[in-house]
Every structure is written in C-alpha cells, then in structure tokens.
Amino acid sequence: MNIAPFLAKACQELDKAMQGTLDGTKIACISETISGYAIAAAIASGVAGIAPGFAGVAAALTQAGFVWATYVKINKTLGISMSENTAKFIGSAIVTNLITNAGAFVAVLIGSSILSVVPVVGQAAAIALNAGLGYTIVYVSAIIYLKLITRMMQPDGTLKVSESDDTKHIIRNIIKESNIKDMVKEGKAAYKQAKEDGSLDKAKKAKTCPKCGAEVKDGQKFCSECGAEL
C-alpha cells in the first residue's frame, strides 16, 4: 500500500518511538482510518456548506468532531489508552492551531461563509470548498497527532499526554516546526484521489454514524466505534 510522503514519515518516526512495533498492518490500518474519516468529514462538511452566512463556522465545528474520532480509532490500532475527553481536548487544540496558523484554512472558512449567502451557485461553491477543507483538515490533523504521540511516547511504550497548557504548547511547536503548506498540498491530492477512484461516491451511499462518521449496518442500534445511539 502506497502512503504519501508526510504521512509515511510520521509513521516511520512513530515506529522508532515505539521501538519498531508499528508493523505494516498497523500502518495500513492507520492510513485507512485517516482516509475513511477524512472522506466522512468531507461529506459532512459539504452539507454544512448550505448554512447561509455560517457555512465556514458550521464546517469547522463539524471537522473538529471527525478529527478527534480519527484519534480515537488510531489509539485503538496502536493499543493506546486515552479517554475520549483527552482525544477531544487534543483535537480541539490541533484544529484551533492549524486554523490560526495556516492562512489557507482561514481563507476557505471565510470564503465559504461569504459564498453560502448566494443562492444556488454560491452555495454550491461553498459546499465544494467545505468538502475539500473537511478532508484536508482531518488529514493534516492526523499527521500532527502522529507527531504529537511520537514526541510524548515514553521509553516503556506508554503515552503521557495531559489536558494542559503544556500539551497545547507542544502542539503549537509541532505545527510551527512542520511544513504545513506542503502537508495541505498532500491532503488536497489525497482528496482529489478519493474523488477520482470513487471512494467519495461510495462513502456517500453508505450508511454512517451521525456522530463520528463510521460506517454502520442495517439494524445496528449503536455505533461500534463511538457508541452513539443510531
């Protein structure tokens, strides 16, 4: 399975921190998790684009939910113990810092809010912008998260992350040190690929959890990923 450069490097660095225990199967699972939740975020964020005047804000709130849901699934793959609240805390901190430090994200949020007040054509453009942003922000946020747990991994294989200003400071430093511009390009390329290979259309037809975007089956009463009632 081919993995894009920034994501591949983040996995390699995490593997070193985990003393070589991150095998190919887990890396493939992480990549699929990121792609799946990014696609779900694109679909949900696109729908948020129809809210006149508030499309950008609605999309940002939607994306934050998919970001922390991605973290929870990655944690399960890696066998990391972390509360849902801590995952939400980290997700919120990463998304907030990405939006405030990456002009491209801010421009899309503002642009989609302006376009959403224009009937039909403007709303269609807002939907397209928000969908692309939804995918990209989940994708980039996931790479930042992999970098964070790499930095916070202890020699004994445990993860020491707290809901504190120190964690926020580390997140800010990681984002400042990272090539966010090229990460965004990689995320956009992955979104384009998802559209071209039919992954996006397939996901649109699938039944998903309204809370985390995970695929659910007919008759299922609770989401197997987040536990939400369906």
Side-chain angles (χ1 to χ4, degrees):
M1 180 178 183
N2 293 325
I3 301 178
F6 281 101
L7 178 55
K9 185 176 181 181
C11 288
Q12 289 170 0
E13 291 173 347
L14 179 59
D15 183 45
K16 289 180 181 179
M18 296 182 70
Q19 300 180 3
T21 59
L22 187 60
D23 59 26
T25 300
K26 289 182 179 179
I27 291 175
C29 187
I30 289 172
S31 179
E32 290 170 3
T33 293
I34 294 170
S35 176
Y37 279 104
I39 288 174
I43 296 170
S45 298
V47 173
I50 64 175
F54 299 97
V57 176
L61 293 173
T62 299
Q63 291 145 14
F66 285 104
V67 165
W68 70 257
T70 304
Y71 298 170
V72 170
K73 185 64 180 290
I74 289 175
N75 290 345
K76 287 183 179 180
T77 299
L78 298 174
I80 291 174
S81 177
M82 180 186 293
S83 71
E84 186 176 293
N85 285 337
T86 300
K88 288 181 179 180
F89 170 84
I90 294 172
S92 176
I94 289 178
V95 171
T96 299
N97 277 278
L98 277 177
I99 290 176
T100 55
N101 285 281
F105 288 149
V106 176
V108 172
L109 290 172
I110 295 174
S112 63
S113 293
I114 295 172
L115 288 169
S116 65
V117 300
V118 182
V120 186
V121 176
Q123 288 183 351
I127 289 171
L129 283 172
N130 284 332
L133 176 65
Y135 189 103
T136 305
I137 204 166
V138 169
Y139 187 91
V140 175
S141 295
I143 295 176
I144 298 301
Y145 180 68
L146 293 176
K147 286 177 172 288
L148 174 66
I149 59 179
T150 295
R151 188 167 297 189
M152 305 295 282
M153 191 68 65
Q154 303 299 302
D156 62 358
T158 59
L159 188 68
K160 188 177 181 181
V161 180
S162 61
E163 298 174 38
S164 65
D165 288 337
D166 286 341
T167 299
K168 289 182 179 180
H169 182 69
I170 293 171
I171 289 171
R172 282 195 294 269
N173 285 341
I174 290 173
I175 290 175
K176 287 179 180 179
E177 294 165 3
S178 300
N179 188 343
I180 299 299
K181 183 178 180 180
D182 284 347
M183 283 186 192
V184 169
K185 288 181 180 179
E186 185 170 289
K188 288 180 178 179
Y191 175 59
K192 182 180 179 182
Q193 179 63 34
K195 289 195 294 181
E196 292 176 349
D197 66 18
S199 298
L200 192 64
D201 289 335
K202 182 180 179 181
K204 286 180 179 179
K205 296 175 183 178
K207 292 185 177 180
T208 59
C209 170
K211 182 178 179 181
C212 74
E215 189 170 343
V216 296
K217 298 178 181 178
D218 289 333
Q220 191 171 332
K221 295 183 178 181
F222 297 93
C223 176
S224 58
E225 293 298 330
C226 70
E229 186 173 359
L230 304 174

